[in-house]
Amino acid sequence: MMDNTEQQEMNIFQVMARVGRSIGKFFCSILSIFGKIAQLAYKYKYLFVIFLALIIGLSVYQRRENAKMYRAKMHILINDGDVFTYKALLDQLSEYPKREKPDELVAAMDTVISNEAAQKIFGFETYHVIDINNDSIMDFVDYDNDIKMGDTSNVIVPNQMVICVKMSDLSYCAEIQDALLRYFANNSYLSSLNISRLTTLEEKEWMFHNALLNLDSLQKVELLQGPNYSMEFASQKERNKPFMTTKRQMYYNDMENLFDINQKIAEDMSTNLEVVTVISNLQPEKKLDNPTWKIILINTILGLALFSLIAIILEKKKDIVAFLKNESPKKEGK
């Protein structure tokens, strides 16, 4: 009798043999399909030549200069609104290039972009920035759009996003970026949020500046009335030394916290005056989004599929006509 090791080896060989047979059958099926297409191409050679010419012509047309598609990405920090507002705005703008009406895109963007630049745009895409486990650290950009709203282990950062512009000419990157920023700034909803935010920052800056002055004044009063005010007070101060040390430490902690808050407000006032702040400029990707091999492959597959369908219809024309007439198909030789 075979032991367990030999039995396992036999099972592995059987599985490998079955996989090999399945792969062989798959390649035989592929070869038989190409063989059938070759037979149809030989029988309907003129139709095949027509489809071949259409495939070549369509591929050349899709490789023209204006049809080349590049991608450029820009990372922004959102000061007013949220990522979903900006996504909705850009999705709406993407509808105009699909209809090949650049003048409508110019009008939709309040003429902040030239007609020449609008003609180079194929559309816009947006990608979320993901913070794993909600620890305020940007971990990665969801370029595959796999992260769902209900995913609690991956949190969408609400004030950052990556904008992708699909275009035919990379020399227009700077103009398109400037146009997008002006378009966001001119939006009435985002503009009102921006005014409110800046007003609040100014009020906070004034409030914390006064708080620093008041805290500093209180400390000066304590110093003036403290150590040398009287011997009695001095002896009392010695008895309460731990309390005074704690109080002095609290004072410095308060000052440090106020300085940190005031510095953050000052940074926001100096760098985040607009509705969005650009983290990284619109950077182009040098590779084409629709390379030549991809265009030829897709057109060839579609062309051969359509040719085969028409050729099979011509091959079975008599049977199809008989079926439509509800007649029995005539056998060959009768």
Side-chain angles (χ1 to χ4, degrees):
M1 295 179 65
M2 293 187 298
D3 57 15
N4 292 336
T5 303
E6 293 177 345
Q7 184 68 32
Q8 290 176 357
E9 290 178 353
M10 288 295 294
N11 291 337
I12 291 173
F13 287 133
Q14 289 176 357
V15 171
M16 292 178 64
R18 290 176 182 175
V19 171
R21 286 195 296 269
S22 299
I23 294 174
K25 289 180 180 179
F26 173 76
F27 280 108
C28 288
S29 300
I30 296 295
L31 291 175
S32 65
I33 290 173
F34 278 106
K36 184 62 177 178
I37 292 175
Q39 290 176 347
L40 294 173
Y42 179 78
K43 186 173 183 178
Y44 301 98
K45 57 179 71 70
Y46 296 112
L47 181 64
F48 180 76
V49 170
I50 292 173
F51 269 91
L52 184 61
L54 289 175
I55 291 172
I56 296 173
L58 182 60
S59 300
V60 171
Y61 177 75
Q62 291 178 336
R63 287 296 298 124
R64 71 191 190 280
E65 192 65 27
N66 290 337
K68 292 180 180 179
M69 184 186 297
Y70 298 91
R71 289 172 177 263
K73 296 185 177 70
M74 175 174 62
H75 191 172
I76 63 171
L77 173 69
I78 297 171
N79 301 321
D80 300 289
D82 53 46
V83 292
F84 304 105
T85 301
Y86 287 80
K87 176 176 173 56
L89 290 174
L90 292 170
D91 286 346
Q92 184 179 12
L93 291 180
S94 291
E95 294 299 319
Y96 300 106
K98 292 178 182 178
R99 299 201 294 263
E100 298 184 356
K101 293 183 177 180
D103 53 332
E104 292 186 1
L105 177 60
V106 173
M109 296 185 70
D110 301 323
T111 66
V112 297
I113 189 171
S114 66
N115 193 67
E116 292 78 12
Q119 291 177 349
K120 308 299 181 181
I121 297 176
F122 291 112
F124 304 94
E125 293 178 351
T126 56
Y127 304 106
H128 293 302
V129 177
I130 305 303
D131 172 13
I132 297 178
N133 297 324
N134 197 19
D135 54 4
S136 300
I137 299 175
M138 189 197 80
D139 296 293
F140 65 94
V141 179
D142 184 22
Y143 287 115
D144 296 325
N145 288 321
D146 289 335
I147 305 301
K148 305 301 181 184
M149 289 298 298
D151 191 347
T152 56
S153 62
N154 298 286
V155 179
I156 295 174
V157 178
N159 64 338
Q160 289 188 42
M161 74 183 308
V162 173
I163 298 174
C164 174
V165 184
K166 296 182 289 185
M167 62 180 74
S168 61
D169 191 341
L170 295 176
S171 63
Y172 285 86
C173 280
E175 181 180 346
I176 293 173
Q177 173 178 322
D178 182 61
L180 283 173
L181 295 179
R182 285 190 288 163
Y183 170 67
F184 295 144
N186 292 343
N187 182 276
S188 58
Y189 171 69
L190 298 177
S191 178
S192 62
L193 290 180
N194 187 50
I195 293 172
S196 176
R197 179 178 60 86
L198 293 178
T199 302
T200 302
L201 284 176
E202 289 177 354
E203 292 175 351
K204 282 184 177 181
E205 188 177 36
W206 175 83
M207 180 184 68
F208 282 106
H209 177 71
N210 285 344
L212 285 171
L213 292 177
N214 292 335
L215 191 61
D216 190 49
S217 299
L218 290 173
Q219 177 68 5
K220 289 177 181 177
V221 169
E222 181 183 324
L223 290 174
L224 286 173
Q225 294 181 349
N228 302 318
Y229 189 70
S230 66
M231 293 300 295
E232 181 182 355
F233 183 82
S235 61
Q236 182 182 359
K237 182 179 177 182
E238 289 296 324
R239 291 196 301 271
N240 298 331
K241 192 172 182 180
F243 170 77
M244 297 301 295
T245 303
T246 304
K247 188 174 182 181
R248 189 178 296 111
Q249 184 64 41
M250 289 174 61
Y251 164 78
Y252 286 116
N253 288 341
D254 290 341
M255 288 288 289
E256 186 177 1
N257 291 335
L258 286 174
F259 272 121
D260 289 341
I261 295 172
N262 201 37
Q263 183 181 1
K264 179 63 171 62
I265 293 173
E267 290 176 357
D268 289 340
M269 288 292 294
S270 61
T271 61
N272 301 329
L273 295 177
E274 302 297 334
V275 294
V276 297
T277 302
V278 178
I279 296 177
S280 64
N281 291 320
L282 196 62
Q283 297 293 331
E285 295 179 354
K286 296 299 183 182
K287 64 179 182 179
L288 283 168
D289 196 55
N290 53 348
T292 303
W293 67 267
K294 187 176 181 180
I295 291 174
I296 294 175
L297 179 62
I298 293 174
N299 290 339
T300 300
I301 293 174
L302 293 177
L304 289 178
L306 187 58
F307 162 76
S308 301
L309 178 62
I310 295 176
I312 290 173
I313 291 175
L314 293 175
E315 187 84 359
K316 303 294 183 179
K317 180 177 64 175
K318 293 181 180 179
D319 294 339
I320 294 173
V321 171
F323 172 78
L324 294 175
K325 291 182 177 180
N326 199 18
E327 297 176 354
S328 299
K330 297 180 179 179
K331 296 182 180 180
E332 296 293 334
K334 289 189 180 181

